[in-house]
Each structure stands twice: as structure tokens, then as C-alpha cells.
Amino acid sequence: MAKDYPGSPKIHQLESRRQRLTLILAVSGLCVVFYVLGAWQNSGIPKPNHSDVSKLGCDDAGRAAVPATARPASSAVQSSVTSESTLDFDAHHQLELKDTSPMVGKFSPCPMNFSEYTPCQDRTRGRTFTRAMLVYRERHCPAKDELIRCLIPAPPGYRTPLKWPQSRDYAWYHNIPHKELSIEKAVQNWIQVEGDRFRFPGGGTMFPHGADAYIDDINNLIPLTDGSIRTALDTGCGVASWGAYLLKRNILAMSFAPRDTHEAQVQFALERGVPAMIGIMASMRIPYPARSFDMAHCSRCLIPWHAHDGLFLIEVDRVLRPGGYWILSGPPIHWKKYYQGWERTQEDLKQEQDSIEEVAKRICWKKVIEKEDLAVWQKPINHRECIESRKLYKTPHICKNDNADAAWYKKMETCITPLPEVSNDEDVAGGELLKWPERAFVVPPRISSGTIPGVTPKKFDEDNVMWKERIEYYKKLIPTLTQGRYRNVMDMNANLGGFAAAMEKFPVWVMNVVPVNSDRDTLGVIYERGFIGTYHDWCEAFSTYPRTYDFIHADGVFSIYQDRCDVAYILLEMDRILRPEGTVVFRDAVEVLVKIQAISSAMRWDSKIMDHESGPFNPEKILIAVKSYWTGEASSNGQ
């Protein structure tokens, strides 16, 4: 066989190949090293940067510095995934500060008369609708040509709300400069003005000894402290003192009231750090799924329960879980004692109570007890007897072919929402719930029964693990998350409620929003876990006042809506409901976040794009934004 001698062409070819291969490997190795090094540097956690804080000279020794986010937008630093700038999550506007410099960009401040603008509950627009069944007080959103493209101003002197639990009892006057309730409800002890603060004594129309004592009276009738009751509904809530004092008993109440002549009831509730939203029982279903609440409550809420063939009580039945309680105080309960003060005749009040009793019987409720000012009814755990009773009661009939959870712009109906079928009289329809707090992390009945498409018990458990990891990552990105900086939190796309469950250990409550445009309806699962929430379409304004949330979480929201409506209006709505120096966390594809960041910078927000918790190779990124502090100018007449 012929040999290859040194210097032969074949040897030269082999050596040349070895050299090229070595060079390629060396260059590739250097590329990998520098990429990993760059990714490690850019995924670092932002640290406080005190050089970004400018001081304000003032006479008050305790006045805080103004953060970079409170400067005019023209001087704001645009952050990105490669930026070295940091975000300041601390609240600084504890005393009156004001940035009245002109806005650079396309979003300018609205006039001061928009300070409490609630687009879908605008009273001027509402007056164009019929007063029958209070339709004019329901949601009526502006048309596209009526939408505003300006930033809702905070009132002059706006200050960071007090931290929970102090906020339950006090709020700054300048944040909600209304004295009407303290005058109109002075006898009922709802609210008092003390210097620069409001004080909430815990009173109410039917709470002569305070909400705490009133709740103790309820606890003597039904169990409130053993974990069997977790979610509650308060209709016509006033300033939500009932919900405020239930919180220390681990009961989470969804309180609602209309925007009516008593200014800013719901705004006061949210300023206190108590869950609430604007709403009314009129012609449309309330925006919650069937079988949501363990308990419902009305304390002189002025709802005519017996009217319209019992329509409103039938709607309460829809959202009340099997075995749930309905509590009524105020007219007509205990009418023999109060009829003169209520300025109604005994005959009128007796007829009203008899009518309520009859409606409750026809929808298969059983009266548990009536004692002094309180009456309590209980919904059956299943409908086996109720179906049989239709032979006796022809009305209301049991609804047929109806999606019981459908509650977005859907008319109420005078038929009983059917419960899931059971095998025997002792079974709880839809599945029995564990007591709180165990129910928060066990597989909810709607998932274990397979009624949520594509969601298995395994996926539910995986979702819990994922959100636990994500919240740990958020704690590193936002150090103030665990320090009581935030109280009112909103999850704009709540899915299975994993975010709220992972946040449960912090002193916050979460409004879980399930978009009506979602692929699947998971709000019932969230309630079964012991959390609260609502349906919503983010192409419209949310049913709340401006500046009512401290922290907003938006996971994939803009991917859902970018082809449905102008996302700039969604961001403007987020700005409306977010408090000054509030924080938003967006999770989405990087190209979506870049668009969001460009719009948010024109709204005086400071922001930074961060890597996904799994690292820089994940195409999903996280945008963290902080709304700057600024206020509107006081009008010439001092208002």
C-alpha cells in the first residue's frame, strides 16, 4: 500500500482542515461566553439608585424626596432591556406635591372636572336611558367617538393612602374631597371629617354599635369563623364597613354600590383598602358566575326584593353557592320596632316581608332564623326537592338551556338557575368545597369534574407551582412587594387565580378579572378557591373610580386585545384606575411590550423590560412600569 509522506498534498489538506475546525470552535466558544456574560449582566435585579432622586426644598422636616418618576415627562429616562436605569417603587408623595409642567407627547392632562371620571357610569350619559328598573344607573359606556385621550388628574394635595390596616379606619381628605356623606349620614356614623382626614367609625344604617358588633351578631346565628364561609357579596354596600370588618375573620367580600347621590361610596371603600366596585341590581345580571358566594348580605340596601316577580332575589340565588346564606337587615325586618322611624305603615311593611318570604319559599330557600334586626335564609345544597316542588309552585320555573355563568350584559331572568345534578339528597351540587384556607390550593370541583376545557388537576397543580416561582421572582424585581407598599391589586387576566393564591401571604387583596374574550371561563374556579373577581371586556372602562388600585398585573392581556381595539385606550384606562406611583407588571411577547413601553412613556410612566424568570432565552419578557406622581391644578374658585 502506498504511504503518505510529509509534504504530500493529502497531509496538507488534513492539517488545513484541522486548523479551520480549531478556529471555528474557538470563535464559537468565545461567542457563547460573551453571550452568557451579556445576558447575565442584563438580567440583573434593579437596585435603589439614589442618584435618580431629586430633593425638594420644603419646611416640613418629614417631607420625602420626589422620585425620578415624578419629574416632567420631558426629563424621564426611557428604559429598555439593555438600560442600566432603575425603577423606584417607594411612595414619596406623603405631603402635597405638584408637577404642573406641560406634558410632552400626545397624552395631556384632562381638565380637573374629570378627576373622578367613571366612563361607563357617567351620570350625564345615564340620564338618556330609561329610569324603569334603574336602567339609567347601569353600565353605559361611551362610543368610540366619545372616548377621551387625556390623563385623569389627581386632585391637588393628593397623598399616598395610609397603609393597611390603618387605612380601614382613616383616609386623607384631599384624596376624596367630599363631605357630603359625613353630613347626609352623620346620624348613621358612616364617616366623619377630622382635620385633614376622614375617619370611618364602622357605623352603618343598621350598625348602631358598629360593624364589628353587627358581624358578631351574625356569627351567633351562622358560623363565620370556622372557614366554611369565605366569599361574601354585599349589595348596596355604602362605604363597605361590613366587608372591611369581615376581613379579620378571613372572609373576603365583594361589595358594590351604584354611583348615586351619595358621592363616592365605592371610592371611599377602595381608598380604605377594602374590595369594592361600582354596580347595581337593575336589569342586567351582576358580573359574577353562578355558585360564587358563600354568603350574600343586604343591610338596608334599598333593593325591592319582592318586586318584578322576585327578580333580584332570583339573581342572588344564581350567584349563591349551594348551602349558602342570605342575610337581610333593615326594612322590612323587625318592622314592629322601626316602622315609625322608617316613615311607613305597619301594613305596608308587613306586606313587603310576607312577599319576600313567599319569593324565598318559591325559590326553595329555607329560613334559618329571624332574631331582632337580622333574618337569615339558606339555599338548598341541591335541587332534588326544588324540582319536585315545581308541581306546587308553577313560578318561577327552572331555567332551561341557559349558561348560568354568563353574566356580561345579560338580562336577568325570572327563572331559577338549575344546580348540577346529584345522585342523592345529601350530595352538594357541583361538589363540596373544603374550608378556608385549604380550599385555596386543592383542585376545585369545576376542574376535577372536567367542566373547564383543557384544564386537568395536573395542570392546576402545575399552575400553582409556576405562580409560586413567579412571585418569588417578582419579589426580587420589586422589593416593596412584601413590605405593605401595595394593598389593592388587580389581575387583568386571572386565568385559574394562581397569581392571587401566590399573593395570599402578603397584606393585599386581588381583584381577579376574567376577560369575556378568553378562550375559557375560569372565574367560577377562582371563586371555588376562595377568591373574588369579575368578568370584564378590556375594550371598555372598568367599573371603578380613578386611582383605586396600587398594583396591576397584566399577563398576556395585550396579546388578547391587540386586534380587538386600540390598546392605547386600554393603557389609558389602566392609568385612570392606577394610583400615582402605582406599579404595573406586564407579561407578553417582547414586540408587544416594546409597543406598550412606547405608549406608557407618553403617559408619564417610567418602565424597564426584564428577562423572563426562566432566563434570557425565553421569548416572553416582563415589563415593569411605575406611574409618576403629578396632580391637577385647583380651579380659580378653590374647588
Side-chain angles (χ1 to χ4, degrees):
M1 183 180 290
K3 294 184 178 180
D4 289 328
Y5 293 97
S8 70
K10 193 170 184 179
I11 293 297
H12 279 301
Q13 290 176 356
L14 291 172
E15 289 180 352
S16 178
R17 289 175 182 172
R18 291 194 191 99
Q19 290 174 355
R20 285 199 299 270
L21 181 60
T22 301
L23 181 61
I24 291 170
L25 290 173
V27 172
S28 300
L30 286 172
C31 288
V32 171
V33 169
F34 283 114
Y35 182 86
V36 172
L37 179 61
W40 174 76
Q41 289 175 332
N42 289 328
S43 62
I45 305 306
K47 298 178 180 178
N49 184 354
H50 299 288
S51 66
D52 280 347
V53 179
S54 63
K55 301 284 185 177
L56 280 186
C58 57
D59 297 329
D60 300 290
R63 184 164 294 187
V66 180
T69 53
R71 300 174 191 157
S74 58
S75 64
V77 179
Q78 177 71 25
S79 303
S80 69
V81 72
T82 58
S83 171
E84 294 183 358
S85 64
T86 59
L87 297 178
D88 187 346
F89 299 104
D90 290 318
H92 299 276
H93 53 281
Q94 296 295 331
L95 295 176
E96 184 177 348
L97 303 172
K98 188 161 49 182
D99 172 11
T100 57
S101 58
M103 177 64 189
V104 176
K106 60 180 178 181
F107 299 119
S108 58
C110 302
M112 271 306 299
N113 62 333
F114 281 85
S115 180
E116 294 178 358
Y117 182 50
T118 55
C120 296
Q121 283 86 16
D122 182 69
R123 284 172 290 185
T124 302
R125 183 179 300 106
R127 293 189 192 105
T128 64
F129 292 85
T130 178
R131 300 181 71 88
M133 290 188 67
L134 302 178
V135 168
Y136 75 106
R137 288 188 177 178
E138 292 184 310
R139 282 178 61 89
H140 302 292
C141 297
K144 286 185 178 181
D145 60 352
E146 297 177 293
L147 297 174
I148 61 172
R149 293 183 67 92
C150 56
L151 305 176
I152 303 299
Y158 182 90
R159 302 168 70 169
T160 303
L162 299 164
K163 287 187 177 181
W164 183 265
Q166 189 182 13
S167 65
R168 184 192 69 182
D169 302 322
Y170 294 96
W172 299 117
Y173 171 79
H174 285 294
N175 289 12
I176 315 174
H178 292 291
K179 293 184 179 180
E180 294 91 339
L181 279 176
S182 64
I183 298 170
E184 292 184 30
K185 301 293 184 179
V187 177
Q188 297 163 16
N189 214 23
W190 277 21
I191 184 173
Q192 298 173 356
V193 179
E194 296 181 353
D196 61 352
R197 300 184 183 191
F198 287 111
R199 186 168 75 86
F200 302 91
T205 311
M206 298 303 298
F207 311 161
H209 305 294
D212 223 12
Y214 175 81
I215 292 170
D216 285 339
D217 290 340
I218 296 174
N219 189 48
N220 291 330
L221 306 180
I222 59 175
L224 295 183
T225 57
D226 66 352
S228 59
I229 294 175
R230 165 63 180 174
T231 57
L233 179 70
D234 192 13
T235 55
C237 64
V239 295
S241 289
W242 188 70
Y245 283 88
L246 280 174
L247 286 166
K248 70 178 185 179
R249 296 164 172 86
N250 285 323
I251 297 175
L252 194 58
M254 174 68 82
S255 302
F256 71 81
R259 177 162 187 161
D260 59 7
T261 54
H262 303 314
E263 292 285 352
Q265 293 181 76
V266 166
Q267 192 175 14
F268 276 116
L270 287 157
E271 189 72 14
R272 300 173 70 182
V274 180
M277 60 187 293
I278 300 173
I280 189 170
M281 298 196 76
S283 68
M284 298 289 180
R285 284 182 173 180
I286 50 180
Y288 318 115
R291 312 193 316 273
S292 297
F293 298 98
D294 305 323
M295 173 172 63
H297 171 259
C298 163
S299 175
R300 201 175 186 184
C301 59
L302 306 180
I303 296 174
W305 296 110
H306 61 294
H308 311 294
D309 298 320
L311 181 67
F312 303 131
L313 209 55
I314 291 171
E315 174 65 359
V316 171
D317 178 77
R318 183 185 70 86
V319 299
L320 203 60
R321 74 164 174 85
Y325 298 97
W326 183 59
I327 302 163
L328 178 63
S329 66
I333 304 303
H334 210 4
W335 55 266
K336 291 181 180 179
K337 176 181 178 181
Y338 293 113
Y339 76 95
Q340 291 179 323
W342 291 339
E343 298 181 350
R344 291 174 60 183
T345 66
Q346 297 186 59
E347 294 76 13
D348 180 33
L349 288 163
K350 181 180 185 304
Q351 182 180 6
E352 181 181 346
Q353 178 153 357
D354 289 345
S355 298
I356 291 174
E357 302 269 11
E358 180 65 17
V359 173
K361 187 183 299 183
R362 286 176 176 273
I363 62 176
C364 308
W365 290 6
K366 292 182 179 179
K367 192 168 187 179
V368 176
I369 191 171
E370 181 176 335
K371 185 177 181 181
E372 297 181 346
D373 297 345
L374 292 164
V376 182
W377 286 263
Q378 187 173 24
K379 180 177 177 175
I381 61 173
N382 60 59
H383 270 169
R384 287 171 68 89
E385 288 187 13
C386 193
I387 293 172
E388 189 67 22
S389 70
R390 293 310 92 187
K391 297 175 182 177
L392 176 63
Y393 301 114
K394 301 301 181 183
T395 60
H397 65 276
I398 295 178
C399 304
K400 297 179 180 179
N401 302 320
D402 180 45
N403 178 2
D405 292 340
W408 187 248
Y409 292 127
K410 183 173 176 59
K411 292 248 181 213
M412 292 184 192
E413 298 180 64
T414 52
C415 58
I416 302 171
T417 300
L419 291 174
E421 294 183 2
V422 295
S423 301
N424 56 68
D425 293 344
E426 291 74 33
D427 289 344
V428 177
E432 191 168 1
L433 299 177
L434 295 183
K435 293 183 177 181
W436 180 263
E438 289 78 11
R439 67 191 272 190
F441 293 99
V442 298
V443 179
R446 296 190 192 216
I447 292 178
S448 59
S449 63
T451 56
I452 308 297
V455 182
T456 63
K458 181 180 179 182
K459 288 186 177 180
F460 173 80
D461 291 335
E462 290 172 348
D463 186 76
N464 281 333
V465 172
M466 178 186 71
W467 280 108
K468 182 178 179 181
E469 294 172 351
R470 287 183 172 183
I471 295 301
E472 287 300 313
Y473 186 57
Y474 289 173
K475 286 164 58 179
K476 296 175 183 178
L477 299 179
I478 310 170
T480 54
L481 188 63
T482 62
Q483 300 168 8
R485 168 72 179 83
Y486 310 105
R487 173 62 184 171
N488 300 352
V489 177
M490 174 181 285
D491 191 358
M492 294 176 67
N493 185 20
N495 195 18
L496 301 178
F499 171 79
M503 293 283 285
E504 176 60 28
K505 55 188 174 183
F506 306 136
V508 304
W509 64 270
V510 179
M511 177 69 78
N512 294 281
V513 180
V514 172
V516 293
N517 314 96
S518 299
D519 294 335
R520 57 189 177 220
D521 180 358
T522 55
L523 192 54
V525 167
I526 290 168
Y527 274 95
E528 287 182 341
R529 299 185 70 174
F531 304 111
I532 59 172
T534 182
Y535 295 112
H536 187 64
D537 182 349
W538 284 112
C539 289
E540 299 180 1
F542 194 77
S543 292
T544 191
Y545 285 84
R547 302 174 300 280
T548 46
Y549 285 88
D550 307 295
F551 188 104
I552 299 177
H553 187 258
D555 180 12
V557 173
F558 290 83
S559 288
I560 296 174
Y561 282 96
Q562 62 180 341
D563 297 325
R564 296 180 182 272
C565 52
D566 187 345
V567 297
Y569 286 111
I570 300 178
L571 286 163
L572 285 168
E573 173 63 5
M574 294 171 70
D575 182 85
R576 184 184 75 87
I577 68 179
L578 188 65
R579 286 173 173 163
E581 296 184 329
T583 299
V584 182
V585 172
F586 301 89
R587 301 181 68 97
D588 227 309
V590 67
E591 60 269 19
V592 175
L593 295 185
V594 169
K595 295 177 183 177
I596 293 172
Q597 190 176 44
I599 299 172
S600 68
S601 67
M603 300 193 309
R604 308 183 183 211
W605 290 14
D606 193 16
S607 62
K608 184 177 179 65
I609 296 179
M610 308 296 295
D611 284 320
H612 190 274
E613 61 271 4
S614 64
F617 301 106
N618 195 308
E620 181 181 85
K621 301 296 178 183
I622 298 170
L623 174 65
I624 301 178
V626 179
K627 177 180 176 179
S628 64
Y629 173 78
W630 60 278
T631 74
E633 287 275 20
S635 61
S636 58
N637 61 8
Q639 294 181 348

